[in-house]
C-alpha cells in the first residue's frame, strides 16, 4: 500500500515545464477529426507536455506516417510517477460517490464522442471501422461498470473469541498503478484497467503501445473534460526504442504500488522480474494459444459461425482468438468445407475506413512475416492450404485469411500464438485426445468447444486448463465477466466485480479495550 509522502512538486523542480510546441503533421485517417481529441504530447498532471524527442506513428493500411508523438523516456516516466503519487494523496480521500460520478461523466463523454474515437482506432490500428465502433462501446462500458462498482467496495466485521475486542477488515487503494497496454485494443485495454484503478482510489500512469498512442491521449482529453483531478490519469507515450527503459522505471520505482500489463508472455516475464525488486502487486494478461474444439455431436453450422467470429475478428489479432482448431474425425471434412466456404464468402480485405471491409491490415510487416513463417513451416511439413496462404495485393501489411488442413502438433502454428488470420485444423479421434492436445500448451487464456452432449460439455469445460471457456460460443468477452488466464497466460482478473480487487489492499484492524 502506498504511503503519502510530502514530495517536492515536480513542477517546482522544473521536471514538467512544457517546452515550446513542436509542429505535428496529421495525415491519413486522422485528418478531419476533432482537433481536441488529436493529441501528440504526453499528458501529465493535467497538462499537455512535449518531450525532447518525438517518434512517428504509421498508418498500418498504407504505411504512411500519420503524426509525430512525444517520445517520453526514463526522466519523463519518473516525473509522471511523482505527479501521480502526489495526486494519490488527495484522490484516495475522495468519496466513492464522487469517484463514481466522475467516472460516469467520463463514460458519457466517450459516448458523445464515440464516432471520432472509433475513427482514431481505425486510423492507428487498421481495425475495420465497424469493429472500432464496437470497441468504443466496450471500452466506455468499463467506465460505466466501474463507476457503479466504486460504491460497492465493502469491508467486513469478524467475530472474535475475546469479548473486549472487535475485528474489522478495510479495503484501501494500493497507490500509483502503472498501466502498460497493447495496440490491438488501444482504448478498451486502458479503460478496463484504469476504470477499476480510479474506482478503487488509485492514480495511474499509462504507457500505451507505440503503434497506437492516439486513443490513450484522446481518453486523456476526455478525462480532463470530465473533471478527473490533475495527476490522477497520466499518459506517457514512447517509441519502441525507449519502451524498455520506461517499462523498467515503472516496474522499479518505489512510488509505484501496482503494475498492470497486457501483452506477450515474454515481455510479461521481464516486467515481473523488474517488479520483484520492490515486491509490487502485479496483474498480467499475457499470451494465449486458444484451442477451438469441434466434437462430432456439434452443430456444424454453429461451429463454423463461432469459428469465424473467434478467429477473424481484428484479422486474428486478439489474445483470445482461436489459434488451434481441433476437429473430431467424424465431422472434420464437413467442418473444413463449410469453414472454407464461409471464409471465401464472408471476408473482405481492405482499408478499415472502406465500407464492407471485414479484414484490415496486420499492425506491421513483422506481424505479416510471422504469419508467412507459420504457413511456410506448416506446408513444408505436410499441411494443405485450403484457402488463402499468402500476402494480399492490397498492401504490404495485408494477408489473406488462411485455412490449413492436415495440420500436426509439431508445426509452428500449433505451438506458437499466431496473431494473424491463420486457421490451422488438426483432426482428432477421441475426447481424451482433444483435451490432451488442448492442455499441452504452457499458456491457458481462453478455450472454445462445440458439443450438444450435456455430459461432455461439463467434462470438457471443467478439464480445459484455461481461464475462460466458450461453450458453443465464439465471442466471450463482457465487462460483467472476469477476464484472465492460467499457467503462463497471466495473473489476476480484469473486468467484472473481481477486477476492482486488483487495486485494493485488505487491512485488518483489531479494536481492543472495549
Amino acid at each position: 500500500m502506498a504511503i503519502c509522502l510530502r514530495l517536492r512538486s515536480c513542477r517546482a523542480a522544473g521536471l514538467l515545464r512544457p517546452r515550446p510546441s513542436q509542429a505535428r503533421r496529421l495525415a491519413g485517417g486522422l485528418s478531419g477529426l476533432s482537433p481536441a481529441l488529436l493529441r501528440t504530447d504526453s499528458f501529465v498532471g493535467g497538462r499537455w507536455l512535449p518531450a525532447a524527442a518525438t517518434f512517428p506513428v504509421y498508418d498500418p493500411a498504407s504505411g504512411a506516417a500519420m503524426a509525430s508523438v512525444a517520445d517520453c523516456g526514463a526522466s519523463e516516466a519518473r516525473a509522471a510517477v511523482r505527479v501521480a503519487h502526489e495526486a494519490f494523496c488527495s484522490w484516495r480521500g475522495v468519496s466513492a460517490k464522487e469517484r463514481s460520478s466522475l467516472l460516469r461523466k467520463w463514460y458519457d463523454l466517450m459516448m458523445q464522442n464515440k464516432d471520432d474515437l472509433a475513427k482514431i482506432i481505425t486510423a492507428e490500428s487498421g481495425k475495420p471501422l465497424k469493429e472500432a465502433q464496437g470497441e468504443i462501446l466496450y471500452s466506455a462500458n468499463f467506465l460505466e461498470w466501474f463507476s457503479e462498482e466504486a460504491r460497492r467496495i465493502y469491508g467486513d466485521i469478524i467475530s472474535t473469541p475475546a469479548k473486549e475486542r472487535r475485528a474489522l477488515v478495510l479495503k484501501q487503494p494500493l497507490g500509483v498503478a502503472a498501466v502498460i497496454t497493447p495496440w490491438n485494443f488501444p482504448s478498451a485495454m486502458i479503460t478496463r484497467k484504469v476504470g477499476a484503478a480510479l474506482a478503487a482510489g488509485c492514480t495511474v500512469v499509462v504507457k500505451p503501445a507505440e503503434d497506437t498512442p492516439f486513443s490513450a491521449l484522446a481518453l486523456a482529453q476526455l478525462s480532463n473534460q470530465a473533471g478527473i483531478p490533475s495527476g490522477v490519469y497520466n499518459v506517457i507515450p514512447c517509441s519502441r526504442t525507449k519502451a524498455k527503459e520506461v517499462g523498467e522505471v515503472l516496474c522499479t520505482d518505489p512510488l509505484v504500488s501496482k503494475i498492470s500489463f497486457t501483452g506477450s508472455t515474454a515481455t510479461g516475464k521481464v516486467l515481473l522480474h523488474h517488479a520483484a525488486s520492490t515486491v509490487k502487486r502485479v496483474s498480467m494478461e499475457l499470451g494465449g494459444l486458444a484451442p477451438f474444439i469441434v466434437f462430432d455431436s456439434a452443430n456444424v453450422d454453429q461451429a463454423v459461425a463461432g469459428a469465424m467470429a473467434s478467429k477473424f475478428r481484428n484479422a486474428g489479432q486478439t489474445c483470445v482468438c482461436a489459434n488451434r482448431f481441433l476437429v473430431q474425425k467424424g465431422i472434420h471434412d464437413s467442418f473444413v468445407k463449410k469453414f472454407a466456404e464461409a471464409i471465401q464468402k464472408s471476408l473482405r480485405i481492405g482499408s478499415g475506413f472502406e465500407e464492407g471491409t471485414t479484414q484490415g491490415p496486420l499492425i506491421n510487416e513483422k506481424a505479416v512475416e510471422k504469419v508467412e513463417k507459420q504457413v511456410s513451416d506448416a506446408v513444408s511439413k505436410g499441411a494443405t492450404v485450403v484457402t488463402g496462404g499468402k500476402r494480399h495485393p492490397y498492401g504490404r501489411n495485408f494477408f489473406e485469411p488462411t485455412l490449413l488442413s492436415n495440420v500436426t502438433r509439431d508445426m509452428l502454428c500449433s505451438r506458437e500464438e499466431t496473431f494473424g488470420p491463420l486457421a490451422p485444423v488438426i483432426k482428432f479421434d477421441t475426447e481424451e485426445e482433444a483435451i490432451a492436445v488442448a492442455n499441452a500448451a504452457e499458456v491457458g487464456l481462453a478455450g472454445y468447444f462445440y458439443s450438444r452432449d450435456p455430459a461432455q460439455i461439463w467434462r470438457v469445460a471443467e478439464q480445459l486448463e484455461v481461464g475462460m471457456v466458450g461453450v458453443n460460443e465464439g465471442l466471450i468477452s463482457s465487462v460483467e465477466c472476469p477476464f484472465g488466464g492460467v499457467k503462463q497466460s497471466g495473473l489476476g482478473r480484469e473486468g467484472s466485480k473481481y477486477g476492482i480487487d486488483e487495486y485494493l489492499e485488505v487491512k485488518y484492524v483489531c479494536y481492543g479495550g472495549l
Side-chain angles (χ1 to χ4, degrees):
M1 186 185 310
I3 300 173
C4 285
L5 305 174
R6 295 310 304 162
L7 298 176
R8 184 163 56 125
S9 169
C10 292
R11 294 184 184 85
L15 295 174
L16 298 181
R17 188 179 298 119
R19 299 180 179 87
S21 296
Q22 300 178 16
R24 301 286 196 263
R25 182 166 61 91
L26 297 175
L30 292 178
S31 60
L33 299 183
S34 169
L37 293 178
L38 294 176
R39 298 290 184 165
T40 55
D41 290 328
S42 66
F43 183 75
V44 178
R47 296 196 297 167
W48 296 102
L49 304 174
T54 62
F55 68 97
V57 179
Y58 297 97
D59 174 359
S62 67
M66 293 188 293
S68 294
V69 175
D71 193 4
C72 297
S75 60
E76 288 89 354
R78 282 189 286 268
V81 168
R82 289 171 69 89
V83 167
H85 187 269
E86 288 188 343
F88 172 67
C89 296
S90 55
W91 179 247
R92 67 181 303 179
V94 172
S95 71
K97 182 177 181 180
E98 187 174 350
R99 293 199 302 269
S100 172
S101 177
L102 289 169
L103 285 169
R104 177 69 196 203
K105 289 178 182 176
W106 198 3
Y107 160 80
D108 289 338
L109 286 168
M110 282 196 71
M111 296 305 294
Q112 291 169 24
N113 291 274
K114 63 181 185 296
D115 291 336
D116 277 355
L117 292 173
K119 290 175 183 176
I120 289 173
I121 289 177
T122 295
E124 64 183 350
S125 75
K127 184 177 296 187
L129 186 58
K130 185 176 180 179
E131 287 192 22
Q133 291 166 342
E135 180 181 343
I136 290 302
L137 295 178
Y138 182 53
S139 176
N141 283 341
F142 281 113
L143 295 182
E144 180 187 42
W145 173 263
F146 285 114
S147 74
E148 296 162 350
E149 290 297 292
R151 302 181 69 176
R152 301 191 185 108
I153 301 173
Y154 303 130
D156 287 297
I157 297 177
I158 301 173
S159 297
T160 68
K163 293 182 179 180
E164 72 280 5
R165 295 179 184 174
R166 297 293 183 272
L168 313 176
V169 175
L170 309 178
K171 290 186 178 180
Q172 297 181 313
L174 287 169
V176 177
V179 172
I180 303 174
T181 56
W183 50 263
N184 58 335
F185 287 89
S187 181
M189 294 303 95
I190 292 175
T191 57
R192 190 164 73 186
K193 300 172 187 293
V194 170
L198 268 57
C202 296
T203 57
V204 299
V205 176
V206 177
K207 190 209 85 64
E210 61 274 7
D211 293 301
T212 56
F214 298 115
S215 289
L217 296 170
L219 287 173
Q221 171 65 21
L222 297 181
S223 77
N224 204 31
Q225 288 181 226
I228 304 292
S230 299
V232 172
Y233 177 79
N234 308 278
V235 183
I236 48 169
C238 72
S239 64
R240 185 172 280 104
T241 304
K242 292 185 178 178
K244 182 178 179 180
E245 67 181 74
V246 170
E248 185 170 349
V249 166
L250 295 178
C251 289
T252 58
D253 195 309
L255 296 182
V256 174
S257 299
K258 165 77 179 186
I259 303 294
S260 181
F261 169 72
T262 295
S264 72
T265 298
T267 300
K269 290 178 179 179
V270 173
L271 299 180
L272 280 169
H273 175 76
H274 289 316
S277 65
T278 47
V279 195
K280 299 188 189 304
R281 283 276 293 275
V282 176
S283 296
M284 294 273 161
E285 192 261 284
L286 306 177
L289 194 66
F292 189 107
I293 307 171
V294 185
F295 291 104
D296 282 344
S297 65
N299 179 306
V300 178
D301 293 332
Q302 289 181 0
V304 168
M308 292 290 291
S310 178
K311 176 71 259 184
F312 295 109
R313 183 169 59 117
N314 198 19
Q317 299 174 111
T318 85
C319 53
V320 293
C321 270
N323 207 89
R324 303 168 289 159
F325 290 84
L326 311 177
V327 185
Q328 200 159 13
K329 62 180 182 180
I331 208 170
H332 173 274
D333 292 351
S334 174
F335 176 84
V336 169
K337 179 177 182 292
K338 291 187 175 184
F339 197 9
E341 290 171 350
I343 290 171
Q344 294 162 354
K345 178 180 179 181
S346 304
L347 301 182
R348 179 178 180 273
I349 292 176
S351 163
F353 287 107
E354 291 178 359
E355 186 73 25
T357 292
T358 64
Q359 301 287 285
L362 300 191
I363 191 63
N364 51 42
E365 192 162 15
K366 185 178 179 181
V368 178
E369 290 170 354
K370 184 177 183 180
V371 181
E372 281 185 320
K373 181 180 178 181
Q374 289 193 358
V375 172
S376 176
D377 171 79
V379 171
S380 72
K381 294 175 180 176
T384 301
V385 177
V386 181
T387 187
K390 60 185 184 298
R391 295 195 189 209
H392 193 277
Y394 193 95
R396 67 179 185 179
N397 290 342
F398 292 82
F399 199 89
E400 295 177 344
T402 299
L403 177 62
L404 301 180
S405 64
N406 299 318
V407 173
T408 56
R409 293 175 60 183
D410 63 320
M411 298 174 183
L412 287 177
C413 58
S414 300
R415 298 183 285 111
E416 295 180 357
E417 186 175 30
T418 302
F419 242 65
L422 171 59
V425 178
I426 302 171
K427 184 188 295 187
F428 71 89
D429 290 324
T430 66
E431 177 184 314
E432 292 74 19
E433 179 189 354
I435 292 173
V437 172
N439 289 342
E442 294 180 339
V443 292
L445 187 56
Y448 309 86
F449 70 92
Y450 277 70
S451 170
R452 287 184 288 187
D453 180 339
Q456 183 178 62
I457 287 172
W458 280 112
R459 286 195 305 271
V460 176
E462 291 176 350
Q463 291 181 56
L464 282 179
E465 295 174 357
V466 295
M468 300 171 285
V469 180
V471 182
N472 298 327
E473 179 57 63
L475 297 175
I476 57 177
S477 298
S478 172
V479 298
E480 297 84 2
C481 301
F483 192 103
V486 299
K487 299 197 282 191
Q488 293 188 36
S489 280
L491 304 166
R493 292 296 181 269
E494 295 185 338
S496 79
K497 69 176 184 178
Y498 304 104
I500 201 167
D501 290 336
E502 301 289 338
Y503 298 89
L504 292 168
E505 196 75 87
V506 173
K507 178 186 285 186
Y508 157 53
V509 178
C510 182
Y511 189 176
L514 299 176

PDB file of all heavy atoms in Angstrom, residues 16 29 32 144 155 158 226 382:
ATOM      1  N   LEU A  16       8.452  19.232 -15.144  1.00  0.00           N
ATOM      2  CA  LEU A  16       7.315  19.171 -16.060  1.00  0.00           C
ATOM      3  C   LEU A  16       7.090  20.492 -16.789  1.00  0.00           C
ATOM      4  O   LEU A  16       6.005  20.764 -17.247  1.00  0.00           O
ATOM      5  CB  LEU A  16       6.053  18.772 -15.284  1.00  0.00           C
ATOM      6  CG  LEU A  16       6.104  17.399 -14.631  1.00  0.00           C
ATOM      7  CD1 LEU A  16       4.792  17.109 -13.925  1.00  0.00           C
ATOM      8  CD2 LEU A  16       6.387  16.334 -15.660  1.00  0.00           C
ATOM      9  N   GLY A  29      -6.039   8.854 -41.928  1.00  0.00           N
ATOM     10  CA  GLY A  29      -7.332   8.751 -41.275  1.00  0.00           C
ATOM     11  C   GLY A  29      -7.533   9.702 -40.123  1.00  0.00           C
ATOM     12  O   GLY A  29      -8.649   9.856 -39.640  1.00  0.00           O
ATOM     13  N   GLY A  32      -9.328  15.583 -40.353  1.00  0.00           N
ATOM     14  CA  GLY A  32     -10.766  15.818 -40.334  1.00  0.00           C
ATOM     15  C   GLY A  32     -11.441  15.487 -39.023  1.00  0.00           C
ATOM     16  O   GLY A  32     -12.636  15.744 -38.865  1.00  0.00           O
ATOM     17  N   GLU A 144     -18.412   2.842 -17.261  1.00  0.00           N
ATOM     18  CA  GLU A 144     -19.744   2.801 -16.657  1.00  0.00           C
ATOM     19  C   GLU A 144     -19.789   1.746 -15.551  1.00  0.00           C
ATOM     20  O   GLU A 144     -20.295   1.998 -14.448  1.00  0.00           O
ATOM     21  CB  GLU A 144     -20.788   2.496 -17.721  1.00  0.00           C
ATOM     22  CG  GLU A 144     -22.215   2.425 -17.176  1.00  0.00           C
ATOM     23  CD  GLU A 144     -23.203   1.951 -18.207  1.00  0.00           C
ATOM     24  OE1 GLU A 144     -22.889   1.007 -18.966  1.00  0.00           O
ATOM     25  OE2 GLU A 144     -24.314   2.520 -18.263  1.00  0.00           O
ATOM     26  N   GLY A 155     -16.113  -3.688   3.325  1.00  0.00           N
ATOM     27  CA  GLY A 155     -15.239  -4.376   4.260  1.00  0.00           C
ATOM     28  C   GLY A 155     -16.015  -5.440   5.012  1.00  0.00           C
ATOM     29  O   GLY A 155     -17.066  -5.893   4.561  1.00  0.00           O
ATOM     30  N   ILE A 158     -15.611  -9.121  11.810  1.00  0.00           N
ATOM     31  CA  ILE A 158     -15.377 -10.527  12.119  1.00  0.00           C
ATOM     32  C   ILE A 158     -15.550 -10.756  13.618  1.00  0.00           C
ATOM     33  O   ILE A 158     -15.011  -9.999  14.434  1.00  0.00           O
ATOM     34  CB  ILE A 158     -13.961 -10.943  11.687  1.00  0.00           C
ATOM     35  CG1 ILE A 158     -13.784 -10.718  10.171  1.00  0.00           C
ATOM     36  CG2 ILE A 158     -13.689 -12.407  12.039  1.00  0.00           C
ATOM     37  CD1 ILE A 158     -12.379 -10.930   9.676  1.00  0.00           C
ATOM     38  N   ALA A 226     -14.014  15.652 -18.161  1.00  0.00           N
ATOM     39  CA  ALA A 226     -14.932  15.065 -17.180  1.00  0.00           C
ATOM     40  C   ALA A 226     -14.673  15.579 -15.769  1.00  0.00           C
ATOM     41  O   ALA A 226     -15.502  15.371 -14.878  1.00  0.00           O
ATOM     42  CB  ALA A 226     -14.811  13.547 -17.201  1.00  0.00           C
ATOM     43  N   GLY A 382       3.778 -30.861 -44.467  1.00  0.00           N
ATOM     44  CA  GLY A 382       2.675 -31.670 -44.963  1.00  0.00           C
ATOM     45  C   GLY A 382       1.293 -31.064 -44.871  1.00  0.00           C
ATOM     46  O   GLY A 382       0.310 -31.701 -45.281  1.00  0.00           O
TER      47      GLY A 382
END
